[in-house]
């Protein structure tokens, strides 16, 4: 939990500061979309390879190594900003490097959890991990916003680099060995193909990933929040930080609901309902003209996202054996980040053509159609029970 807290806080601070800086350097919504794409692009390219590493190497050591190396991009961004030499391409290249390191260690952070808790507590353990990750989305943007307003963007970059040090120490203090169970395997293309085969034959996981893929593809809202802050609500960096934090507040509420409900058996139906709620909240954001209404809409997006994420991650941990868990988790990450990357480009282009509010409304419509289409094409998802 300490590792997740520090590493995710650092990551979200860097992302918020980068988007803020790109917008003020370029003033372009298209550049904002491209910046979001570069943050997610390594997940598309290296995401599955990170799963192979998690099923081959020591997961605990892999987490420590990738977090240590990830200190460098934050320091470089801070130095370039402080010197006044920073350009948009600097931000994109260094975010590309930081995201690449994050994706190589990400599957290990998820795959190690079932080895630390009994299966009877797995849903709560996964939900608590999601709660911790979403909680950093509450605190990190607020911290970044205040640091940017009072000390400059470079202060946010240096702070996120420093937060990675305790995350490394905490990872090394985990008592479990971190070694994957089962036969020792080599890093090979065959290991990657085995992951594809497992996903194809486990249709419940596949259907959940497809539902999330198309919903987020049309509903990824985070890259265009600086436009809402500047044009629609007319708030500064602190207001932008609050906009980024509002989904995290909702996520805390959503995760609390899951924890209170216990072991939800109708996970498929709950996932569909949560995705529909995501679509409706996106439409609410598009219609918002007051800052507080926008915050409520973003909180609704966070509630629905937290519920669907907890269910997807738990289903993967239940259905995947330990020696396949890293690759299965990496597929989850790749699907999510691929949609984030493509969705960032679509959101930026949509905001440029239609304006940010209208882009959100179109996204709401397409997300709703996706939910209806998935229920029609894969009816067994609604009936899936984990008992």
């Amino acid at each position: 939990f300490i590792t997740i807290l520090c590493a995710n806080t650092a990551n979200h601070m860097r992302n918020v500061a980068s988007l803020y800086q790109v917008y003020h350097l370029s003033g372009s919504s298209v550049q904002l979309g491209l910046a979001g794409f570069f943050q997610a692009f390594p997940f598309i390219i290296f995401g599955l390879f990170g799963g192979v590493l998690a099923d081959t190497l020591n997961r605990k050591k892999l987490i420590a190594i990738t977090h240590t190396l990830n200190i460098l991009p934050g320091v470089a961004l801070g130095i370039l900003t402080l010197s006044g030499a920073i350009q948009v391409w600097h931000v994109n290249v260094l975010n590309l490097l930081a995201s690449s390191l994050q994706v190589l260690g990400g599957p290990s952070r998820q795959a190690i959890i079932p080895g630390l808790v009994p299966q009877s507590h797995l849903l709560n353990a996964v939900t608590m991990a999601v709660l911790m990750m979403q909680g950093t989305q509450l605190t990190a943007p607020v911290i970044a916003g205040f640091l940017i307003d009072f000390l400059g963007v470079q202060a946010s970059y240096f702070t996120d680099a420093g937060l990675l040090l305790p995350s490394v120490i905490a990872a090394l203090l985990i008592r479990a060995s971190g070694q994957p169970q089962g036969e020792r395997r080599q890093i090979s293309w065959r290991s990657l193909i085995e992951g594809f085969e497992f996903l194809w034959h486990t249709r419940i996981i596949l259907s959940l990933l497809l539902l999330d893929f198309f919903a987020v593809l049309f509903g990824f809202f985070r890259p265009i929040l600086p436009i809402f802050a500047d044009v629609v609500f007319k708030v500064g960096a602190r207001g932008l930080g609050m906009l980024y934090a509002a989904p995290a507040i909702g996520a805390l509420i959503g995760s609390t609901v899951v924890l209170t409900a216990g072991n939800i058996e109708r996970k498929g139906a709950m996932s569909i309902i949560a995705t529909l709620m995501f679509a409706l909240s996106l439409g609410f954001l598009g219609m918002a003209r007051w800052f507080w209404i926008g915050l409520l809409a973003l909180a609704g997006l966070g509630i629905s996202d937290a519920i669907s994420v907890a269910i997807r991650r738990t289903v993967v941990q239940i259905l995947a054996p330990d020696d396949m868990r890293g690759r299965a988790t990496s597929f989850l990450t790749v699907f999510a980040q691929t949609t984030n990357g493509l969705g960032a480009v679509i959101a930026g282009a949509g905001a440029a053509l239609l304006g940010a509010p209208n882009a959100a409304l179109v996204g709401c419509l397409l997300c709703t159609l996706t939910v209806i289409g998935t229920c029609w094409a894969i009816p067994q998802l609604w009936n899936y029970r984990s008992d």
Side-chain angles (χ1 to χ4, degrees), residues 1 5 16 29 31-32 37 42 44 103 114 123 128 151 158 184 202 241 243 274 277 302 307 387:
F1 285 143
L5 174 65
V16 170
S29 61
Q31 287 288 356
L32 268 179
F37 176 78
I44 304 172
V103 74
L123 176 60
M128 289 175 67
L151 299 175
F158 286 132
R184 294 294 299 272
T202 312
L243 289 176
M277 180 181 173
I307 294 172
D387 55 347

Side-chain angles (χ1 to χ4, degrees), residues 24-333:
H24 279 265
L25 287 173
S26 66
S28 169
S29 61
V30 174
Q31 287 288 356
L32 268 179
L34 289 174
F37 176 78
F38 281 115
Q39 289 176 359
F41 183 68
F43 291 85
I44 304 172
I45 301 300
F46 301 122
L48 301 181
F49 182 64
V52 173
L53 292 180
D55 287 337
T56 306
L57 305 178
N58 187 293
R59 292 164 179 168
K60 183 169 65 173
K61 294 179 181 178
L62 186 60
I63 294 169
I65 292 171
T66 53
H67 284 192
T68 300
L69 294 175
N70 219 341
I71 296 173
L72 301 178
V75 172
L77 284 168
I79 293 174
L80 286 170
T81 302
L82 192 61
S83 68
I86 192 74
Q87 298 180 31
V88 171
W89 74 267
H90 291 144
V91 178
N92 289 336
V93 168
L94 288 169
N95 274 330
L96 198 65
L97 174 60
S99 296
S100 298
L101 292 168
Q102 182 186 354
V103 74
L104 292 177
S108 294
R109 287 203 304 270
Q110 299 303 316
I112 202 173
I113 292 176
L116 307 179
V117 297
Q119 185 169 340
S120 59
H121 298 326
L122 187 56
L123 176 60
N124 279 3
V126 171
T127 303
M128 289 175 67
V130 172
L131 182 64
M132 183 69 72
M133 290 186 287
Q134 297 285 2
T136 60
Q137 293 186 24
L138 167 63
T139 55
V142 175
I143 295 171
F146 275 93
L147 287 174
I148 292 170
D149 268 356
F150 291 106
L151 299 175
V153 182
Q154 69 276 1
S156 180
Y157 288 138
F158 286 132
T159 302
D160 79 61
L163 282 171
L164 288 168
L165 290 174
S167 78
V168 173
I169 297 172
L172 293 175
L173 290 176
I174 295 174
R175 294 186 179 182
S177 69
Q179 193 67 37
Q181 298 177 8
E183 296 182 9
R184 294 294 299 272
R185 62 180 68 249
Q186 299 295 322
I187 299 175
S188 64
W189 286 107
R190 178 57 193 166
S191 295
L192 191 59
I193 293 172
E194 288 175 354
F196 278 106
E197 292 173 345
F198 172 78
L199 179 65
W200 179 254
H201 291 293
T202 312
R203 293 303 177 90
I204 294 299
I205 295 179
L206 180 61
S207 61
L208 286 172
L209 296 184
L210 289 175
L211 179 67
D212 179 64
F213 180 90
F214 289 106
V216 179
L217 180 67
F218 300 126
F220 191 50
F221 61 91
R222 297 184 68 84
I224 61 174
L225 286 185
I227 301 175
F228 275 97
D230 183 47
V231 177
V232 180
F233 303 131
K234 302 185 186 306
V235 293
R238 279 172 287 180
L240 176 61
M242 293 175 66
L243 289 176
Y244 276 112
I249 296 175
L252 294 175
I253 298 172
S255 296
T256 301
V257 170
V258 175
L259 286 172
T260 303
N263 187 24
I264 301 171
E265 293 183 357
R266 294 291 303 275
K267 291 183 174 63
M270 183 57 66
S271 179
I272 292 172
I273 293 171
T275 307
L276 183 59
M277 180 181 173
F278 179 89
L280 296 177
S281 298
L282 187 64
F284 191 32
L285 174 64
M287 293 185 292
R289 293 298 178 268
W290 291 282
F291 183 55
W292 66 273
I293 294 180
L295 293 176
L296 289 177
L298 289 166
L301 287 164
I303 292 172
S304 56
D305 185 58
I307 294 172
S308 60
V309 167
I311 290 174
R312 284 196 307 275
R313 291 181 184 275
T314 303
V315 170
V316 169
Q317 303 287 23
I318 290 173
L319 297 180
D322 186 74
D323 60 353
M324 184 64 67
R325 197 165 283 135
R327 281 164 288 177
T329 302
S330 70
F331 277 106
L332 193 68
T333 302

